[in-house]
């Protein structure tokens, strides 16, 4: 750890206060050099990275620190606090756990961008600027298309086709994800009806859900209404959730997912392997499908550890009576390996990129 020659004695007795449930403010005064701040911040992070022992269990916490400096980053306590919070949130979102970040104009412009997107998203709903793309899912044994995953796109008049990762987080943050999610669900259900009417049988559409949607206690009713309205059976719909989404609102998600499963709708655990405690979710949530994240599939033909991991996930999921889908399949050798491993379903650019409904119909 760096040492700092010019650390004033005051800096070692800072004012510490609680700003919110998980927020603690630390006021350092008489700091002459920025390196003094980093020295203190690093000591705090190191101290808090040690586990706390409670009832002989080790509990680990993660800490993120945002730093703003008077008068450079603000002249009032309110602005300084707001900017430190923006820097902390930047540290958490872009750098991961146990990091610190100094406030900069850069972060400020991100939040202004954020605001712009939010107000444009409001209009986008009214102006019907969202569309669904569909990516086929292939049955590994027969090679036939057994369903699609619906993936949202925003056809913005000023920005063109915007991918979900650019606006879904903002929609989640602002609460707009609920009306957007309802639209996705309704559109996907009516599209499946169209395909079934064309004589395609045993077909399902998978719809992605954000955790915030599970805080809406009307979700089960909405799904039921849409199934009836479109004369669909529950097997025509798969609800996709990530473990991170489940983790964030574990109690409400659990109740609603059980209700949805009791209706007969299938539930897929998306991006499997990228979250925290995957096995607990398989045990406690009413999951029917596991989708192995494409980061595990990407090097399956060259990396033996990845291959072993994928094989073990498939065996474990099968042992629990679950179906397994491999995401991000891009070449034939991957198909052969997944076939050998008895993976049930595959999805990826090798078969098709996500395409608009007319192309998907073809
Ligand atoms: P996801 O549900 O895991 O969807 C799979 C993503 O992987 C899609 O990205 C798809 O285009 C991409 N992909 C599929 N095959 C391949 C491949 O072979 N190689 C590579 N490199 N990528 C492949 P997309 O469409 O950009 O969606 C990203 C994420 O956005 C989705 O991940 C999902 O979490 C979220 N999302 C999409 N639509 C919705 C929605 O309607 N509601 C919510 N809440 N989230 C959505
Ligand atoms: Mg998905
Ligand atoms: Mg996925």
């Amino acid at each position: 750890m760096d040492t700092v020659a010019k650390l004033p004695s005051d800096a070692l007795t800072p004012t510490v206060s609680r700003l919110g449930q998980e927020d603690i403010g630390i006021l350092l005064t008489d700091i002459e050099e920025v390196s003094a701040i980093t020295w203190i911040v690093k000591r705090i992070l190191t101290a808090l990275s040690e586990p706390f022992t409670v009832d002989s269990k080790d509990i680990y916490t993660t800490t993120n620190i945002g730093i703003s400096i008077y008068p450079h980053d603000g002249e009032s306590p309110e602005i300084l606090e707001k900017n430190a919070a923006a820097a902390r949130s930047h540290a958490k979102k872009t750098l991961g756990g146990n990091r610190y970040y100094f406030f900069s104009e850069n972060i400020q412009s991100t939040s202004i961008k954020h605001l712009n997107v939010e107000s444009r998203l409001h209009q986008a709903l009214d102006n019907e600027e969202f569309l669904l793309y569909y990516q086929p899912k292939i049955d590994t044994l027969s090679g036939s298309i057994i369903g699609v995953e619906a993936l949202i796109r925003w056809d913005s008049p000023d920005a063109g086709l915007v991918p979900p990762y650019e606006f879904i987080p903002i929609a989640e943050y602002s609460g707009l994800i609920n009306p957007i999610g309802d639209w996705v669900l309704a559109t996907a259900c009516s599209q499946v009806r169209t395909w079934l009417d064309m004589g395609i049988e045993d077909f399902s559409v998978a719809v992605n859900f954000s955790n915030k949607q599970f805080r809406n206690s009307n979700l089960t009713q909405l799904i039921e209404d849409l199934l009836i309205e479109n004369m669909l059976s529950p097997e025509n719909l798969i609800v996709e959730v990530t473990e991170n989404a489940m983790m964030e609102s574990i109690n409400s998600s659990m109740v609603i997912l059980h209700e949805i499963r009791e209706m007969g709708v299938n539930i897929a655990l998306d991006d499997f392997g990228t979250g925290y405690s995957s096995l607990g979710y398989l045990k406690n949530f009413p999951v029917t499908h596991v989708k192995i994240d494409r980061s595990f599939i990407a090097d399956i033909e060259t990396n033996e550890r990845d291959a072993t991991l994928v094989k073990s996930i498939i065996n474990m999921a099968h042992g629990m009576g679950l179906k397994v889908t491999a995401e991000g399949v891009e070449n034939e050798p991957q198909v052969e390996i997944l076939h050998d491993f008895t993976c049930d379903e595959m999805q990826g650019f090798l078969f098709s990129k996500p395409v608009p409904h007319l192309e998907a119909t073809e």
Side-chain angles (χ1 to χ4, degrees):
M1 191 174 288
D2 324 333
T3 46
V4 157
K6 272 185 160 179
L7 192 66
S9 55
D10 275 9
L12 291 175
T13 49
T15 309
V16 179
S17 64
R18 189 167 191 159
L19 304 174
Q21 212 174 7
E22 299 186 331
D23 300 333
I24 292 174
I26 300 176
L27 182 69
L28 301 174
T29 51
D30 298 321
I31 295 279
E32 286 176 23
E33 290 179 359
V34 170
S35 59
I37 304 174
T38 37
W39 185 81
I40 294 170
V41 159
K42 283 181 185 171
R43 287 195 57 183
I44 296 172
L45 288 178
T46 307
L48 291 177
S49 67
E50 295 291 321
F52 295 90
T53 310
V54 179
D55 283 345
S56 67
K57 279 196 194 112
D58 283 346
I59 297 185
Y60 289 86
T61 57
T62 39
T63 311
N64 291 288
I65 301 181
I67 304 151
S68 62
I69 303 172
Y70 172 87
H72 184 263
D73 302 326
E75 294 192 353
S76 69
E78 291 76 24
I79 302 278
L80 284 170
E81 190 190 323
K82 188 177 120 269
N83 289 346
R88 191 212 42 201
S89 148
H90 184 85
K92 185 173 175 185
K93 280 192 210 131
T94 55
L95 306 174
N98 292 325
R99 306 297 283 264
Y100 65 90
Y101 204 80
F102 283 90
F103 175 77
S104 67
E105 294 299 324
N106 214 358
I107 309 181
Q108 200 171 30
S109 66
T110 326
S111 52
I112 291 170
K113 210 165 113 194
H114 206 284
L115 273 180
N116 276 337
V117 173
E118 196 177 325
S119 70
R120 278 157 57 207
L121 275 178
H122 268 285
Q123 295 160 11
L125 255 182
D126 296 338
N127 300 346
E128 300 179 10
E129 289 165 13
F130 292 112
L131 35 129
L132 285 189
Y133 273 30
Y134 298 92
Q135 186 179 38
K137 281 196 302 180
I138 311 295
D139 179 79
T140 313
L141 269 188
S142 68
S144 52
I145 300 177
I146 45 169
V148 289
E149 175 173 3
L151 294 155
I152 195 171
R153 300 289 181 265
W154 174 17
D155 192 4
S156 154
D158 40 18
L161 211 56
V162 187
Y165 63 84
E166 285 192 18
F167 66 92
I168 291 285
I170 299 170
E172 286 173 346
Y173 174 86
S174 64
L176 276 170
I177 193 67
N178 280 312
I180 294 175
D182 292 354
W183 175 85
V184 170
L185 192 59
T187 310
C189 286
S190 109
Q191 184 59 53
V192 181
R193 179 72 262 158
T194 309
W195 282 324
L196 293 174
D197 286 344
M198 292 168 73
I200 303 172
E201 281 170 34
D202 295 334
F203 201 74
S204 69
V205 68
V207 174
N208 292 286
F209 280 76
S210 296
N211 71 315
K212 279 230 170 128
Q213 292 176 264
F214 295 105
R215 292 191 200 149
N216 168 11
S217 52
N218 297 326
L219 185 62
T220 316
Q221 189 61 51
L222 176 70
I223 292 178
E224 197 174 351
D225 292 348
L226 284 169
L227 292 179
I228 294 171
E229 190 182 309
N230 293 286
M231 293 180 295
L232 298 178
S233 69
E235 300 84 56
N236 295 131
L237 181 66
I238 301 180
V239 166
E240 287 198 7
V241 260
T242 64
E243 22 175 359
N244 290 338
M246 289 189 188
M247 201 178 70
E248 280 175 32
S249 49
I250 196 154
N251 293 324
S252 51
S253 315
M254 181 89 97
V255 173
I256 295 186
L257 282 171
H258 274 283
E259 285 173 4
I260 293 171
R261 182 65 199 120
E262 271 157 31
M263 262 194 273
V265 171
N266 286 321
I267 296 168
L269 196 48
D270 205 352
D271 303 344
F272 186 76
T274 57
Y276 287 104
S277 54
S278 318
L279 302 181
Y281 292 101
L282 287 187
K283 184 171 168 283
N284 296 317
F285 281 91
V287 172
T288 53
H289 292 64
V290 170
K291 298 187 77 174
I292 305 179
D293 190 70
R294 76 178 136 91
S295 57
F296 296 98
I297 307 297
D299 300 321
I300 196 176
E301 68 291 18
T302 50
N303 186 324
E304 217 164 292
R305 288 175 70 126
D306 284 7
T308 309
L309 224 111
V310 168
K311 189 178 181 179
S312 316
I313 296 174
I314 295 171
N315 289 341
M316 179 191 65
H318 282 169
M320 299 177 74
L322 310 176
K323 289 226 161 157
V324 183
T325 313
E327 297 191 276
V329 178
E330 294 186 352
N331 58 50
E332 284 296 343
Q334 291 170 343
V335 174
E336 272 170 41
I337 294 172
L338 290 166
H339 188 273
D340 285 350
F341 289 175
T342 66
C343 180
D344 306 280
E345 302 167 359
M346 296 174 295
Q347 198 180 332
F349 291 173
L350 176 68
F351 310 105
S352 168
K353 290 200 166 182
V355 290
H357 70 99
L358 287 178
E359 268 177 71
T361 306
E362 278 174 33

